[in-house]
Amino acid sequence: MGRLGPALSPRLTCHRTLVPAPLGWDAHGRPALVRSRKTRAASSLGPLACVAAVGRGVWRLAAAAESQAAAVEEQPARTEGSTDAGAAGGAEASSKLVLVVGGTGGVGQLVVASLLSRNIKSRLLLRDPEKGVSLFGKQDESIMQVYKGDTRNPNDLDPQMFEGVTHVICCTGTTAFPSKRWDGDNTPERVDWDGIRNLVSVLPRTIKRLVFVSSIGVTKYNELPWSVMNLFGVLKYKKMAEDFVQSSGIPFTIIRPGRLTDGPYTSYDLNTLLKATAGERRAVVIGKGDKLVGEVSRLVVAEACIQALDIEFTEGQIYEINSVKGEGPGTDPEKWKRLFRSVQSN
Ligand SMILES: NC(=O)c1ccc[n+]([C@@H]2O[C@H](COP(=O)([O-])OP(=O)(O)OC[C@H]3O[C@@H](n4cnc5c(N)ncnc54)[C@H](OP(=O)(O)O)[C@@H]3O)[C@@H](O)[C@H]2O)c1
């Protein structure tokens, strides 16, 4: 059962240069226009990009100052030692059917791989089901099913797709700045707002928990430096989606990651995915109130999503999440409970 393996497999290679991190972050997890394809894309945008480029140093300074202030002020950080103790949902595995939306993405593929390793049934909603097969292999339908759908199109979201689903993890997204991934109008407005609104509107009211992956900075999209990352609305639309989730009546947990590290992985086979670890950044830092600034391993985010499904008191809560060098909670539900509890206000 499921703890992700002990060492980052040398066979794993990231394709971050091919698929840039959707949001603009610098190497320290602070919002910035970083050198990547999205920067090049932004630089074809004339004045907007110039403003952003000129201000880059300022954004980094501002974010650094903000980061330090948050560290002093909030002190939400809780890290837990790692063990190989059991995985979330083990006991309940057979009774769960987790719908994963965005299962081919960086976080999503780790969520799916981890559910498979725990024997938890999943259903994937994918624009391209073939991608699912190449990532996870042909799985028995009793453990993993794949449906084709684009969240932007309400007609794709046939209620039949959601029959029997008990839990949902949604980690869809696109790039914050124009890129090839916007092709066919797959923009932040369409994916992060229309898509989430469409999805949440059709989810059965019997869902026990919807875990929605958003982003740090969503409550501050009008403020520097976040306003730079929000030039094309990604943070604003994610916040609108969060609000929609909150008022949907569906029991929810919102996870706001910092800048994502580790993956997406190009070695598209299940065993390799499961050998991935959060490298040295396994210690988890959880915050509340959108004060946390930093980076987080995609493996940690995926694990947080899976753990939150089963931790009752995370219902109705919004958490920011980072990870830092050190041992982490691994897949130990008790350690995750303590982490989430450490920032609980009610
Ligand atoms: N990158 C960062 O530093 C950062 C920081 C904070 C928060 N986040 C957020 O964290 C989440 C996970 O990030 P990630 O980098 O792991 O994601 P990612 O690799 O960009 O994956 C996005 C997923 O969404 C799916 N998707 C995109 N448009 C869709 C549509 N119209 N209908 C259905 N599915 C669609 C993609 O499917 P296809 O395979 O079909 O494209 C893919 O599975 C995202 O919401 C992201 O915005 C990212």
Side-chain angles (χ1 to χ4, degrees), residues 173-192:
T174 187
T175 52
F177 295 91
S179 76
K180 204 157 164 38
R181 288 174 57 198
W182 283 22
D183 283 359
D185 200 28
N186 213 48
T187 59
E189 179 174 9
R190 301 285 285 120
V191 179
D192 291 318

Side-chain angles (χ1 to χ4, degrees), residues 22 25 104-107 127 131 150 172 181 186 238 260 298:
W25 306 84
T104 54
V107 169
R127 290 196 292 172
K131 258 195 196 177
D150 184 318
T172 54
R181 288 174 57 198
N186 213 48
K238 278 187 184 294
L260 295 172
R298 283 183 169 85

Side-chain angles (χ1 to χ4, degrees), residues 1-5 80-90 96 98 100 105-120 168-171 209 211-213 253-257 260-262 265 273-274 276-279 281-286 296-311 314 319-323 327-337 339-340:
M1 286 277 254
R3 183 168 186 276
L4 298 169
E80 290 282 357
S82 174
T83 69
D84 282 330
K96 272 202 199 107
V98 183
V100 184
V107 169
Q109 59 187 243
L110 296 165
V111 166
V112 175
S114 193
L115 290 173
L116 280 169
S117 80
R118 289 160 140 113
N119 247 346
I120 299 177
V168 181
I169 297 177
C170 178
C171 35
R209 189 70 61 88
V211 175
F212 172 57
V213 180
T253 304
I254 293 172
I255 303 285
R256 294 175 175 160
L260 295 172
T261 65
D262 293 329
Y265 297 104
L273 278 177
L274 287 172
T277 73
R281 306 173 59 86
R282 284 174 298 204
V284 176
V285 182
I286 292 199
V296 58
S297 165
R298 283 183 169 85
L299 285 134
V300 165
V301 178
E303 185 62 30
C305 292
I306 292 173
Q307 292 286 343
L309 294 176
D310 290 330
I311 303 178
T314 63
Y319 302 96
E320 290 87 49
I321 187 160
N322 278 355
S323 64
E327 290 301 304
T331 58
D332 184 339
E334 290 310 313
K335 289 183 174 175
W336 278 98
K337 267 186 206 161
L339 274 164
F340 283 122

Side-chain angles (χ1 to χ4, degrees), residues 190-209:
R190 301 285 285 120
V191 179
D192 291 318
W193 169 229
D194 292 344
I196 301 302
R197 196 186 59 233
N198 292 339
L199 175 74
V200 173
S201 301
V202 295
L203 287 179
R205 304 295 108 174
T206 50
I207 296 288
K208 290 183 178 152
R209 189 70 61 88

Side-chain angles (χ1 to χ4, degrees), residues 257-278:
R259 175 185 177 263
L260 295 172
T261 65
D262 293 329
Y265 297 104
T266 51
S267 296
Y268 288 148
D269 71 88
L270 188 56
N271 287 335
T272 308
L273 278 177
L274 287 172
K275 281 190 188 127
T277 73

